[in-house]
Amino acid sequence: MPTPDIGQRIDLFEAYVARHPQLRLRVSCPSQEFSDLEMAQGVGRWFSCVRGLWESLDVGSQPDLALLMFQAPAVPRSVERYVLGLVPPVGPGDGDRSLRHALLSVDDDSDRHLSEKLLEHPDLLLRVRALVTRARERGQEVEPLSCYQASDRMDELADRLGLDCRETPTRTLDLGSKAGSRQLFRVAGLAHAPGTYTAAFGLPELARELADLTRSHGPGRWLLKINEGYGSGHGLAVVTVTEPTHATALAALRRLSPLTENISRAQFLAGLSANGAIIEQYLGTPPAGEKRSPSALLFIGPGPDGEPGVQLLGTHDQVLGEDLQYLGCRFPASAAYRDAVIAMSLTVAGHLARAGVRGHVGVDFLARRDSDGRWDLRAVELNLRQTGTTHPHRTVRALVPGTWHDDGRLTHRGTEVHYTGTDGLISPAYRGLSPAHVIRALDGRPDLAFDPIRARGVVPHFWTALEPFGKLGATVLGDSPDDCALLQYRFVELLDDLAARATGGRERQHAGTPSP
């Protein structure tokens, strides 16, 4: 149910917005809308809506913004104060940011999507809809519903609130499926791995396609990718085919091995049957070479002339595990292939814009360097939503008033800014640590805390997963990749020290408790 003070927060927020007609209103529901099996992967994944607090930073960097954001479970007030205080005051009209910022929390930590939880509270949604209506009647700008990704459920939520969605219309989501991505790469003329272009829903059909591909490209390893409903590299399986026959391919498919350890063969096949799958050649690391996973983040929105405009936000080198699972990112992508990543991404984004796609777009690539030093770049897939790189990137855009260059770099006061992002600072020892405890410790470490003058330091996130799961994320800003790595290492040392002290304190308290 909604937290007890939610009505008062709405009243105070609306009263302030009504007194300041220059403010524009944004409502945010950062619900990840993946399949339930996808959401079950990773630690504390169902709490991932808390990553949406990057938008709270916008309240600091954009003095004309009033933000109302839904969360479940509740975000501690200590975190809200910390986030709102990260951006220095931008002028005398900045005022009290907490009055332009309302976190509307539902007291529900169940394993369900935030959107599902909100739709169970029609009175809350009606109240927010009334707030939106009155803002429009006053002539204030009301932005579309900000969300992590579009879905039928998100469309229903937006309709209940009287809003459109900021991310791409659901009718365009097929363009971001695995099959849709490959079709668009082919149309746009982007280099990509051999494979299929339409989703197949059964092993016999996939076996025929796999046999044909083996006949054309030779024996080897192939990836099966579930067409939709999965992210972060979880809907993948690998098969090895030695002969270009239907029987050999079918036997290989029946032995397929999901790359994600927590997804069984039976679960993968169920996902395949429900959502279809495509086949793509597995491109390994060349002998005496290397393989990387760069990506580009873009935003498609209205341009100055009212037509859709494409904005390149940034490029990253993604950090992937051996199972191709997304672990984090480094900004910017390597200069060795960054220009090609930008050019290919802008090309495909232009096609997407003409097809009606809007909002955040991620374009993933595979870069392989041969022993002769030359890089080969292939487009891999599209994500028509916010991605793993969106949170750290939007965090840095809000925190650093620097210059974003066309070549994908960021400079601040003449110095190039680098950053890394991760959701993976996880340890059982961190369970029980409170966000307030970490914030106090970080405030006492000027060598680690974010310094807006130097554009350097650690900005934690994923706060609600800390106490129950021992999980925290961080965006780390530095003046070089090595500087970022050093800051992250020292932040983990700080967390380890806090956990050791907390454990020692609990043990001492337990030791001093009289026996019953």
Side-chain angles (χ1 to χ4, degrees):
M1 62 180 298
T3 53
D5 66 341
I6 198 167
Q8 182 181 11
R9 296 210 77 178
I10 293 174
D11 290 342
L12 291 172
F13 177 80
E14 181 170 16
Y16 187 85
V17 171
R19 291 196 304 271
H20 297 81
Q22 80 281 5
L23 293 176
R24 56 192 166 86
L25 175 64
R26 181 190 302 171
V27 179
S28 173
C29 175
S31 176
Q32 288 195 2
E33 297 290 289
F34 294 113
S35 67
D36 287 358
L37 183 57
E38 165 65 20
M39 294 299 294
Q41 307 309 311
V43 176
R45 182 72 179 275
W46 288 102
F47 287 21
S48 57
C49 61
V50 75
R51 295 164 80 233
L53 288 181
W54 66 259
E55 294 192 81
S56 301
L57 292 167
D58 285 348
V59 174
S61 61
Q62 302 173 30
D64 65 336
L65 175 65
L67 173 66
L68 184 155
M69 182 187 293
F70 296 107
Q71 284 287 323
V75 176
R77 288 295 180 88
S78 60
V79 172
E80 183 178 3
R81 289 192 295 269
Y82 167 76
V83 171
L84 292 178
L86 280 170
V87 180
V90 295
D94 201 352
D96 188 346
R97 293 172 182 173
S98 64
L99 297 175
R100 293 188 287 116
H101 184 260
L103 290 182
L104 305 186
S105 297
V106 175
D107 190 15
D108 187 339
D109 62 359
S110 62
D111 290 350
R112 295 182 302 150
H113 298 90
L114 174 60
S115 56
E116 291 181 86
K117 299 172 183 179
L118 292 175
L119 289 170
E120 292 180 351
H121 299 286
D123 291 346
L124 172 60
L125 301 182
L126 280 172
R127 190 160 186 177
V128 175
R129 183 187 182 109
L131 182 154
V132 167
T133 300
R134 287 190 287 267
R136 286 198 180 110
E137 290 172 348
R138 290 191 297 268
Q140 290 176 285
E141 178 186 348
V142 178
E143 296 183 358
L145 177 66
S146 180
C147 56
Y148 182 86
Q149 65 189 104
S151 69
D152 291 340
R153 188 167 47 237
M154 195 60 66
D155 283 347
E156 181 182 355
L157 181 65
D159 184 64
R160 298 261 196 111
L161 295 170
L163 297 167
D164 294 325
C165 275
R166 189 185 189 198
E167 298 299 328
T168 199
T170 50
R171 62 178 172 79
T172 67
L173 285 175
D174 283 348
L175 294 171
S177 66
K178 302 300 187 291
S181 298
R182 290 181 55 79
Q183 291 168 20
L184 199 57
F185 294 152
R186 180 169 58 180
V187 169
L190 270 61
H192 55 286
T196 58
Y197 295 90
T198 57
F201 291 80
L203 294 188
E205 182 182 357
L206 284 166
R208 286 191 294 272
E209 295 173 336
L210 191 52
D212 289 342
L213 288 167
T214 304
R215 192 172 299 112
S216 299
H217 301 282
R221 301 177 75 192
W222 297 84
L223 285 173
L224 258 68
K225 297 184 172 183
I226 295 180
N227 193 42
E228 55 189 355
Y230 294 79
S232 303
H234 291 129
L236 307 177
V238 63
V239 296
T240 301
V241 183
T242 56
E243 296 178 357
T245 66
H246 182 271
T248 301
L250 186 59
L253 288 168
R254 287 172 175 162
R255 296 190 302 270
L256 67 81
S257 175
L259 290 184
T260 301
E261 183 179 354
N262 295 331
I263 296 180
S264 68
R265 183 183 290 109
Q267 288 174 318
F268 186 91
L269 291 175
L272 185 157
S273 178
N275 300 294
I278 59 98
I279 304 170
E280 186 173 283
Q281 188 176 44
Y282 181 88
L283 299 178
T285 304
E290 63 179 308
K291 182 169 69 171
R292 299 180 188 170
S293 299
S295 69
L297 183 65
L298 308 102
F299 189 84
I300 303 176
D305 56 359
E307 293 298 314
V310 176
Q311 178 190 11
L312 174 73
L313 296 177
T315 66
H316 301 84
D317 276 321
Q318 300 180 98
V319 180
L320 306 183
E322 292 185 4
D323 57 0
L324 305 185
Q325 180 178 346
Y326 176 84
L327 301 177
C329 65
R330 294 186 291 264
F331 168 92
S334 171
Y337 41 74
R338 191 191 310 147
D339 287 347
V341 166
I342 292 172
M344 294 171 72
S345 298
L346 290 174
T347 295
V348 75
H351 284 265
L352 290 170
R354 290 189 289 274
V357 170
R358 300 292 181 268
H360 289 89
V361 173
V363 189
D364 292 342
F365 296 88
L366 183 65
R368 298 191 304 160
R369 183 181 60 81
D370 288 326
S371 56
D372 61 7
R374 291 183 296 180
W375 286 94
D376 174 64
L377 188 68
R378 307 286 183 98
V380 174
E381 62 187 47
L382 298 169
N383 296 295
L384 306 189
R385 53 171 171 81
Q386 296 182 28
T387 69
T389 64
T390 303
H391 175 273
H393 182 83
R394 288 295 192 180
T395 294
V396 174
R397 276 196 176 261
L399 291 177
V400 180
T403 301
W404 295 87
H405 299 270
D406 291 341
D407 63 359
R409 295 178 303 116
L410 167 64
T411 56
H412 174 69
R413 299 187 174 187
T415 300
E416 187 166 346
V417 178
H418 296 254
Y419 66 80
T420 60
T422 180
D423 289 341
L425 306 181
I426 306 170
S427 170
Y430 301 162
R431 292 175 185 164
L433 283 180
S434 72
H437 196 182
V438 173
I439 291 169
R440 285 195 301 270
L442 193 57
D443 285 344
R445 289 287 302 272
D447 59 319
L448 290 180
F450 176 69
D451 181 345
I453 296 176
R454 296 184 60 192
R456 182 180 185 271
V458 178
V459 182
H461 64 266
F462 228 122
W463 292 103
T464 53
L466 178 58
E467 284 192 83
F469 300 109
K471 175 176 182 175
L472 200 61
T475 300
V476 183
L477 297 86
D479 55 25
S480 69
D482 288 344
D483 191 31
C484 293
L486 177 62
L487 286 168
Q488 181 169 317
Y489 178 80
R490 288 177 175 170
F491 181 58
V492 171
E493 282 188 326
L494 175 66
L495 293 175
D496 290 343
D497 183 58
L498 290 175
R501 293 183 183 184
T503 301
R506 286 193 292 268
E507 289 175 350
R508 288 192 295 272
Q509 183 180 23
H510 179 72
T513 301
S515 301

